[in-house]
Amino acid sequence: MRRNERVSTAVIRRLPRYYRHLGELQHKGVVRISSSALGKDMGLTASQIRQDLSCFGEFGQQGYGYKVDVLREEIGEILGVSRGHTVVVLGAGNLGRALIENFKFANNGFQLLAAFDVNDSVGSRVAGVPVYHADQLEEFLQKNRVSVGLLTVPKSAAQTMAQRLVNAGVKGIWNFTNYELSLQDQDVVVESVHFSDSLLTLSYMISQTGEQEDTL
Amino acid sequence: MRRNERVSTAVIRRLPRYYRHLGELQHKGVVRISSSALGKDMGLTASQIRQDLSCFGEFGQQGYGYKVDVLREEIGEILGVSRGHTVVVLGAGNLGRALIENFKFANNGFQLLAAFDVNDSVGSRVAGVPVYHADQLEEFLQKNRVSVGLLTVPKSAAQTMAQRLVNAGVKGIWNFTNYELSLQDQDVVVESVHFSDSLLTLSYMISQTGEQEDTL
């Protein structure tokens, strides 16, 4: 597979959507899809789809469209789902537990190894995942290769815990704390989930709808 | 304030980030900021910042930069934070509770009115918010003006509950179910939070880092 190193952030951000959508098509038993049909489902033009995917290689066949399973697998490869990534959860509160119990880590190529907390949950298991005391974090990270730390600790502990993860060699931090981390190690990638960005986008969209109503 | 109706989705998606970031600057006591400093903080160029904000009016002053509080308030206006939006939560499981307890609805212009579920939590309060039985949803929506339904029900109940919200007149659905809703009412806006998109983006980024290491 040919890879273009200068792929734009916008394209990269769309790849997981392709992956997810192709998975749904596969689930529905769809074998082949044209770029226009795929585009229609995803709110993109056929030419945008072709352009996006051309960044990574030759996938489709003129007039035949894309083979759903092949394309999904290739995109999965690009996204790194078969690289054996591992993850630990820091903070086994409501959000941490919700993610441990419901989020399909394995479907996204991540093996969930353990959770860490400082309260009563230490020593228990959540959906089969052991909860250790945060004091044991470094020891655990030394014994286990951990790619990503999922951060759901309180905001006040976010920076400290993130730095401990980085010092112990994790490559990425999935940050749910709504705290803007500033880390020394430039090689560590931080991906923050900001619920408020999503709600404010919704707020904008319903406000626009309201305005249209007002002027009717 | 002048508004351009044809603002691109990309710009709209950036507005909440501006809003959030300006809030942090305000919190730090920053009064004025140049487009280049704001851009540096946000990973955008100064010209991109100027271009984004010019979609909505004249905010900055050449050579003086932006007044942080004024710009934040104006962007908040555009996003609709002072429109008195209201929200109910459907599903008071771990994720629903995590959001009720920790997410700052009010900071984003939303008043959280109630939660609905079908289990033991009915009749209790979560962080002061009453939990009603889902059977009472329509009655509640008739008596209270509700802008948005936040959906954290199991995937199997997602479509039914979303349709009930729409039938009862909500304007927007904040969808955490990872289910692609298909709704009849074109005026209802759906904003879906897909955790997997975020994790796969992180997976891509750490895979890229790994590759660079391999070739060193």
Side-chain angles (χ1 to χ4, degrees):
Chain A
M1 188 193 324
R2 175 171 61 87
R3 291 203 194 162
N4 187 333
E5 289 298 319
R6 285 181 303 179
V7 180
S8 80
T9 315
V11 176
I12 292 164
R13 291 264 158 204
R14 277 197 289 274
L15 286 181
R17 286 181 56 209
Y18 285 114
Y19 189 69
R20 177 158 48 80
H21 196 73
L22 289 162
E24 282 159 15
L25 289 173
Q26 230 177 346
H27 191 71
K28 286 180 193 161
V30 178
V31 174
R32 210 174 260 284
I33 190 160
S34 66
S35 40
S36 57
L38 185 56
K40 202 181 163 202
D41 286 347
M42 294 185 57
L44 299 166
T45 65
S47 92
Q48 197 164 19
I49 299 261
R50 283 192 293 266
Q51 209 178 330
D52 279 4
L53 300 179
S54 73
C55 295
F56 300 99
E58 303 295 333
F59 291 119
Q61 216 182 327
Q62 191 71 39
Y64 281 88
Y66 301 102
K67 281 196 76 178
V68 171
D69 58 347
V70 174
L71 183 57
R72 180 164 187 272
E73 206 180 306
E74 295 276 2
I75 291 178
E77 274 301 312
I78 297 165
L79 289 171
V81 299
S82 58
R83 290 191 165 225
H85 294 317
T86 50
V87 59
V88 295
V89 175
L90 273 71
N94 280 325
L95 181 56
R97 296 175 86 90
L99 290 165
I100 293 169
E101 288 176 357
N102 302 314
F103 183 73
K104 306 274 183 269
F105 287 95
N107 287 3
N108 298 286
F110 280 78
Q111 191 190 349
L112 175 53
L113 300 181
F116 294 85
D117 207 315
V118 290
N119 64 17
D120 294 348
S121 61
V122 172
S124 71
R125 281 180 179 262
V126 177
V129 175
V131 183
Y132 300 121
H133 195 282
D135 289 346
Q136 299 172 269
L137 180 64
E138 279 77 8
E139 194 190 329
F140 186 89
L141 294 176
Q142 210 161 25
K143 287 186 187 159
N144 299 274
R145 190 188 52 78
V146 174
S147 330
V148 164
L150 191 173
L151 217 55
T152 66
V153 295
K155 223 170 168 172
S156 56
Q159 180 65 35
T160 311
M161 294 312 290
Q163 196 59 56
R164 282 175 62 185
L165 286 166
V166 171
N167 294 347
V170 306
K171 291 175 176 179
I173 292 178
W174 199 17
N175 176 24
F176 282 79
T177 64
N178 204 33
Y179 183 87
E180 292 284 339
L181 301 169
S182 72
L183 300 172
Q184 300 300 321
D185 192 331
Q186 298 290 328
D187 285 341
V188 174
V189 184
V190 177
E191 165 74 10
S192 296
V193 175
H194 288 289
F195 294 137
S196 62
D197 289 6
S198 174
L199 183 59
L200 286 174
T201 305
L202 184 57
S203 171
Y204 175 84
M205 292 188 290
I206 61 176
S207 299
Q208 294 295 107
T209 312
E211 260 174 28
Q212 282 160 23
E213 267 168 27
D214 292 346
T215 56
L216 279 180
Chain B
M1 187 193 323
R2 178 170 62 85
R3 291 202 194 165
N4 187 333
E5 289 299 320
R6 287 181 302 177
V7 180
S8 80
T9 314
V11 175
I12 292 165
R13 290 264 160 206
R14 276 198 290 273
L15 285 181
R17 285 181 56 209
Y18 285 114
Y19 188 70
R20 177 158 49 79
H21 195 71
L22 289 163
E24 281 159 16
L25 289 173
Q26 231 178 344
H27 190 72
K28 286 179 193 161
V30 178
V31 174
R32 211 175 259 284
I33 190 160
S34 67
S35 39
S36 58
L38 185 57
K40 202 181 163 202
D41 286 348
M42 293 185 58
L44 299 166
T45 65
S47 94
Q48 197 164 18
I49 299 261
R50 284 193 293 266
Q51 209 177 328
D52 280 4
L53 299 180
S54 72
C55 295
F56 300 99
E58 303 295 334
F59 291 120
Q61 216 182 326
Q62 191 71 40
Y64 281 88
Y66 301 101
K67 281 196 76 179
V68 172
D69 57 348
V70 174
L71 183 58
R72 179 163 188 271
E73 207 181 307
E74 294 275 1
I75 291 177
E77 274 300 313
I78 296 166
L79 290 170
V81 298
S82 59
R83 291 194 164 222
H85 293 318
T86 51
V87 59
V88 294
V89 175
L90 272 72
N94 279 325
L95 181 56
R97 297 174 86 91
L99 290 166
I100 293 169
E101 288 175 359
N102 302 315
F103 183 73
K104 307 273 183 269
F105 287 94
N107 286 4
N108 297 286
F110 280 78
Q111 191 191 349
L112 175 53
L113 299 181
F116 294 85
D117 208 315
V118 291
N119 64 18
D120 294 348
S121 62
V122 171
S124 71
R125 281 179 179 263
V126 177
V129 175
V131 183
Y132 300 121
H133 196 281
D135 289 347
Q136 298 172 267
L137 179 65
E138 280 76 9
E139 194 190 329
F140 186 89
L141 293 176
Q142 211 162 25
K143 286 187 188 157
N144 300 273
R145 191 187 52 77
V146 174
S147 330
V148 164
L150 191 172
L151 218 55
T152 67
V153 296
K155 223 170 167 171
S156 56
Q159 181 65 38
T160 311
M161 294 313 290
Q163 197 58 57
R164 282 175 62 185
L165 285 166
V166 171
N167 293 347
V170 306
K171 292 176 176 178
I173 292 179
W174 199 18
N175 177 25
F176 282 78
T177 66
N178 205 31
Y179 183 87
E180 291 285 337
L181 302 169
S182 71
L183 300 172
Q184 301 299 321
D185 192 332
Q186 299 290 327
D187 285 340
V188 174
V189 185
V190 177
E191 166 74 11
S192 296
V193 175
H194 288 290
F195 294 138
S196 62
D197 290 7
S198 173
L199 183 59
L200 286 174
T201 305
L202 184 58
S203 171
Y204 175 85
M205 292 188 292
I206 62 176
S207 300
Q208 294 295 107
T209 312
E211 259 173 29
Q212 282 161 20
E213 268 169 26
D214 292 348
T215 56
L216 279 179

